[in-house]
Amino acid sequence: MTSLSSPFELAQAQQYPAATLYVVATPIGNLADITLRALHVLGLVDRIAAEDTRNTGQLLARYGISKPLVAVHEHNEREAAQRVIEFLRAGERVACVSDAGTPGISDPGAKLVDAVRAAGLNVVPLPGASALATALSAAGDWVSTFTFLGFLPPKPKQRAAALQPLAAHTHVMVFYEAPHRIVETVQSLADAFGPARRILIARELTKLHESLWSGTLAEAPTWLAADANHQRGEFVLVVEGASEQAQGEADHDALLRVLLQEVPVKGAAKIAAALTGASRNALYARALELKGEGEEESDD
Ligand code: SAM
């Protein structure tokens, strides 16, 4: 009779070839969220490429692991990748970790992966925590298709410019945000997308003060202002996309704006109706509005 292997034996039983880069996810808060395979591989590798060697040194110490560390961060990733490739060519196993969560997701790691693969060497991912998947797992059924956008630009003007083309995007959108910008970013989302869209604010996931709040973009600033603690910590924002109808209207507007630069309102409506199959009368009415707006702007 064969006995069942324990989960840790299963982690050990897998093949971990030499001359390979292991991309290892680490916890996003609760240190118990490390996987058994991550612990096994971090213990097995010859070296660990880390976003911040001090942070990773401390994290590894909590698991009783000590390894030579190589700094691979945002500012040196390409050059550091060459060093890692030399270690791999010498037959080493190297793990890549970021400060928290999954490397390559709003974190260093992707350029290292590119360079290692371009050098003809193996890359093996080890799944684990990511704030993106953790927030989405508790968002609910309104999230089916989503687009991950990470951090928005920090400056208000650039942020508004980045959000403007997303107003007609029909996927749910997922953003990361830091505490010092959460209030202004949520306001920018409301300004760009209107008050009615749904938002999930996932804060301090897996940590002591974790909270998940869901409401509309109109309600979100009030929730943030209600308690100073609501603005503290790390955030994932999950925001409802535009309706198909809103996207259709935005597409029609874009087409009419181009046509109105070349032909009169009537002609623009006729061409747009032929191209889109939408009602010529409705397009005519909208073209008149857009022409009016354009003339107001040029009067300014
Ligand atoms: N690589 C990480 C991942 O897999 O999620 C993301 C790293 S990114 C530099 C850090 C951002 O992720 C934070 O500013 C926050 O937006 C989000 N984040 C990370 N940990 C989080 C947590 N525990 N709760 C909520 N958001 C978190």
Side-chain angles (χ1 to χ4, degrees):
M1 207 171 89
T2 53
S3 63
L4 286 177
S5 307
S6 74
F8 204 74
E9 282 167 347
L10 286 175
Q12 291 168 328
Q14 181 142 356
Q15 295 292 311
Y16 297 100
T20 296
L21 177 74
Y22 293 90
V23 182
V24 181
T26 57
I28 56 168
N30 191 321
L31 293 191
D33 288 336
I34 192 88
T35 69
L36 296 179
R37 284 184 74 215
L39 287 179
H40 178 67
V41 165
L42 291 172
L44 178 76
V45 292
D46 302 287
R47 212 172 291 274
I48 298 176
E51 178 181 8
D52 182 319
T53 52
R54 241 180 67 127
N55 279 352
T56 296
Q58 285 168 1
L59 178 77
L60 292 174
R62 296 294 301 274
Y63 301 126
I65 297 170
S66 168
K67 288 284 154 148
L69 299 173
V70 194
V72 180
H73 47 71
E74 203 188 338
H75 305 292
N76 78 345
E77 198 171 344
R78 275 180 216 284
E79 310 83 78
Q82 294 315 311
R83 285 187 63 206
V84 171
I85 287 168
E86 282 165 29
F87 294 128
L88 293 171
R89 285 203 170 121
E92 289 194 1
R93 292 177 182 84
V94 179
C96 162
V97 302
S98 64
D99 276 354
T102 302
I105 300 188
S106 289
D107 258 347
K111 292 192 181 81
L112 177 60
V113 163
D114 275 350
V116 167
R117 198 169 285 125
L121 294 155
N122 257 346
V123 179
V124 171
L126 271 77
S130 169
L132 167 67
T134 308
L136 287 178
S137 72
D141 195 33
W142 56 287
V143 179
S144 49
T145 312
F146 68 88
T147 300
F148 175 60
L149 292 139
F151 290 99
L152 282 163
K155 294 195 178 136
K157 244 185 159 173
Q158 282 94 322
R159 189 164 53 235
L163 287 172
Q164 198 240 331
L166 295 172
H169 190 72
T170 52
H171 294 180
V172 159
M173 288 163 276
V174 187
F175 303 95
Y176 279 172
E177 195 47 280
H180 56 285
R181 275 196 293 270
I182 186 67
V183 170
E184 45 181 290
T185 292
V186 166
Q187 191 54 54
S188 301
L189 289 167
D191 293 345
F193 299 162
R197 299 244 197 125
R198 200 192 277 222
I199 180 171
L200 171 77
I201 303 184
R203 186 182 143 265
E204 292 288 86
L205 291 164
T206 78
K207 301 187 200 176
L208 186 60
H209 298 292
E210 176 179 70
S211 69
L212 286 105
W213 176 85
S214 182
T216 62
L217 280 174
E219 295 160 347
T222 313
W223 181 78
L224 285 170
D227 182 339
N229 287 323
H230 292 175
Q231 302 169 27
R232 298 205 170 104
E234 299 189 279
F235 295 86
V236 182
L237 305 172
V238 183
V239 186
E240 188 179 9
S243 64
E244 298 286 344
Q245 189 192 342
Q247 191 195 33
E249 285 166 7
D251 289 348
H252 292 172
D253 281 6
L255 176 60
L256 286 171
R257 281 199 178 93
V258 173
L259 290 170
L260 285 170
Q261 287 173 10
E262 309 297 333
V263 292
V265 171
K266 205 171 159 191
K270 190 175 168 189
I271 298 169
L275 288 172
T276 64
S279 140
R280 193 198 296 192
N281 285 347
L283 289 165
Y284 180 78
R286 183 63 185 146
L288 273 180
E289 284 171 10
L290 292 174
K291 188 149 179 83
E293 282 171 21
E295 278 161 10
E296 267 171 40
E297 273 167 27
S298 57
D299 287 349
D300 290 344

